[in-house]
Amino acid sequence: MRKNIVAGNWKMNNDLPQTEALIDGLKSQTQTSNAEVMIAPTFTNLWHAFEELRQSKIEVIAQNMHFAENGAYTGEVSASMLKSVGIQTVILGHSERRAYFNETDQLLAKKVDAALANDMRVIFCFGEELADRKSGNEESVVENQIKNALFHLEGSAFKNIVLAYEPVWAIGTGETASPEQAQDMHAFIRKTLDSKYGSEVADNMTILYGGSVKPNNANEIFSKPDVDGGLIGGASLKAEDFFAIVNAF
Ligand code: PGA
């Protein structure tokens, strides 16, 4: 079922004391929207955050995981490890993972499979770079990212997937896609899903927008019919700003 979701991606920010302080800040906020709210702290703080927010409506999610169950993968974390500390949802395919850690569509397909095999929910990120948009190739880039990493799945698998369209040129730059650009791409994504899986999968898919969403622009972006929420980086690091975005619904 299509939902409204606002997820905060903390990236490599906040040590343990800072995590505690931000969680205290989040607990003091009032939610007036029906959106599902999630935060993604770094691996070392997942368990603590999960324990702190156990009684709240905020879900703690992971920023990444490895595709293997266990073994000789120094520095990596598996789906079952995440689940053992209460984590049910993982972000995969963030553009920073693609750009700095060479994560390819093929690798991401394996990670998606591993997460789904462990009954986890996936927030799958993708989006074009500035050069793609300048050359008018944004739709074909996005279509390929989705097809290469997800189109081997059965339609029923999509109930555990949330898509996050994040144009690389808008991430951390202060430059957002216009609400119309976001709407156009989200409608295109739904059409791409429809062509392979039919309207039920396409209409029920939750599609988030990410890239410089702030309290002052969230309302307009979320008002678009095919935008179901946001993946928030910088603005998720301040409790008031994050909740101003949550309450923009
Ligand atoms: P930003 O990051 O909100 O800081 O642009 C978004 C993201 O990377 O998910």
Side-chain angles (χ1 to χ4, degrees), residues 9 11 94 96 166 170-173 210-214 231-235:
N9 174 11
K11 309 191 181 183
H94 192 280
E96 287 149 19
E166 299 204 296
I171 295 179
T173 58
S212 298
V213 178
K214 308 285 178 203
L231 186 54
I232 319 299

Side-chain angles (χ1 to χ4, degrees), residues 41 45 49 80 89 114 116 123 135 154-155 170 179 214 228 246:
N45 295 316
S80 57
T89 302
L116 296 179
I123 299 182
S135 57
E154 300 283 329
K214 308 285 178 203
D228 303 311
V246 169

Side-chain angles (χ1 to χ4, degrees), residues 10-28:
W10 291 8
K11 309 191 181 183
M12 198 172 74
N13 294 297
N14 294 332
D15 60 16
L16 182 58
Q18 291 165 329
T19 296
E20 287 176 330
L22 183 46
I23 286 176
D24 283 346
L26 294 174
K27 282 179 173 169
S28 70

Side-chain angles (χ1 to χ4, degrees), residues 9 40-43 46 61-67 75-79 82 87 89-94 97-98 101 103 107-108 111 120 123:
N9 174 11
T42 192
F43 283 136
L46 285 176
I61 70 173
Q63 298 176 18
N64 179 35
M65 56 166 246
H66 196 268
F67 60 79
E76 294 290 330
V77 170
S78 71
L82 294 175
I87 307 304
T89 302
V90 60
I91 299 171
L92 294 176
H94 192 280
R97 300 287 324 164
R98 293 175 189 259
F101 303 97
E103 294 201 359
L107 176 82
L108 291 168
K111 291 190 177 202
M120 291 186 77
I123 299 182

Side-chain angles (χ1 to χ4, degrees), residues 40-59:
T42 192
F43 283 136
T44 52
N45 295 316
L46 285 176
W47 170 239
H48 185 77
F50 173 76
E51 284 282 293
E52 285 290 317
L53 291 168
R54 206 188 257 277
Q55 308 298 340
S56 82
K57 281 165 114 185
I58 301 176
E59 182 183 350

